[in-house]
């Protein structure tokens, strides 16, 4: 049974090389996007903890509706686009 499926898969790839390549690229892209999403969620938790530990204060623009950066007690300024989900 397994040899039969392998033979069918190889035959499909030989008949449709472009479709097989596109499917492979889409699969790899989906796996990469999934891993990036999981890593962003993990980083978000670390950022929340970092903000608490370093007493970060939100710095707003003159318009007061745009949050541009965080000023922390370590003397550094951290920008919001790096911490966005």
């Amino acid at each position: 049974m397994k040899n039969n499926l392998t033979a069918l898969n190889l035959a499909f790839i030989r008949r449709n090389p472009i479709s097989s390549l596109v499917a492979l690229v889409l699969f790899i892209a989906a796996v990469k996007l999934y891993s990036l999403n999981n890593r962003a969620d993990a980083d978000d938790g670390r950022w929340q903890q970092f903000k608490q530990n370093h007493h970060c204060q939100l710095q707003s623009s003159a318009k007061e509706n745009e949050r541009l950066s965080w000023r922390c007690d370590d003397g550094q300024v951290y920008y919001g686009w790096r911490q966005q989900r």
Side-chain angles (χ1 to χ4, degrees), residues 4-23:
N4 194 16
L5 287 176
T6 303
L8 287 173
N9 287 338
L10 290 176
F12 177 79
I13 291 170
R14 286 187 191 123
R15 284 192 310 259
N16 303 305
I18 301 297
S19 298
S20 300
L21 182 62
V22 168

Side-chain angles (χ1 to χ4, degrees), residues 64-81:
E64 292 297 324
N65 62 351
E66 296 177 14
R67 297 177 178 162
L68 299 177
S69 62
W70 295 88
R71 181 168 300 280
C72 301
D73 66 359
D74 65 353
Q76 298 292 319
V77 174
Y78 298 92
Y79 295 94
W81 60 270

Side-chain angles (χ1 to χ4, degrees), residues 25-38:
V25 168
L26 290 175
F27 176 75
I28 291 171
V31 169
K32 184 63 177 173
L33 288 173
Y34 179 76
S35 69
L36 288 172
N37 185 42
N38 285 345

